[in-house]
Amino acid sequence: MDILAQVNEIDVEDPGELQEGFLVASIKNVGLEEATVNGVTLEPGEAKGYPFVGKGYRKITYDPNRSTLRIMQIL
């Protein structure tokens, strides 16, 4: 059986984006400052999830704003 999905887990401190087509993702602010994910403020310790919805998501932008984001995504 072929592997169909790849899990990627990273910590980021620079602005970026989740690539278009990801299937599942979670983003947690593990730093000490407010971050921005998809235009919404993410407080320290707070997380956002993007569950499987049957098809891939459009890209999601993020900006750690002097904080650290821990990102898990399934492509």
Side-chain angles (χ1 to χ4, degrees):
M1 180 170 156
D2 290 338
I3 296 174
L4 300 176
Q6 175 64 45
V7 176
N8 293 315
E9 296 183 59
I10 58 172
D11 285 352
V12 297
E13 295 180 344
D14 295 316
E17 64 187 30
L18 301 181
Q19 68 184 45
E20 185 170 320
F22 72 90
L23 299 175
V24 175
S26 67
I27 302 174
K28 183 173 183 177
N29 184 349
V30 295
L32 301 174
E33 304 289 333
E34 291 180 343
T36 305
V37 176
N38 202 25
V40 177
T41 299
L42 197 62
E43 299 289 335
E46 195 172 35
K48 287 183 64 76
Y50 298 91
F52 181 67
V53 293
K55 59 183 178 177
Y57 282 87
R58 294 178 188 237
K59 69 181 178 179
I60 300 289
T61 61
Y62 56 81
D63 187 348
N65 297 324
R66 299 176 317 277
S67 197
T68 302
L69 297 174
R70 180 159 294 147
I71 299 173
M72 185 281 300
Q73 67 176 329
I74 297 175
L75 305 174

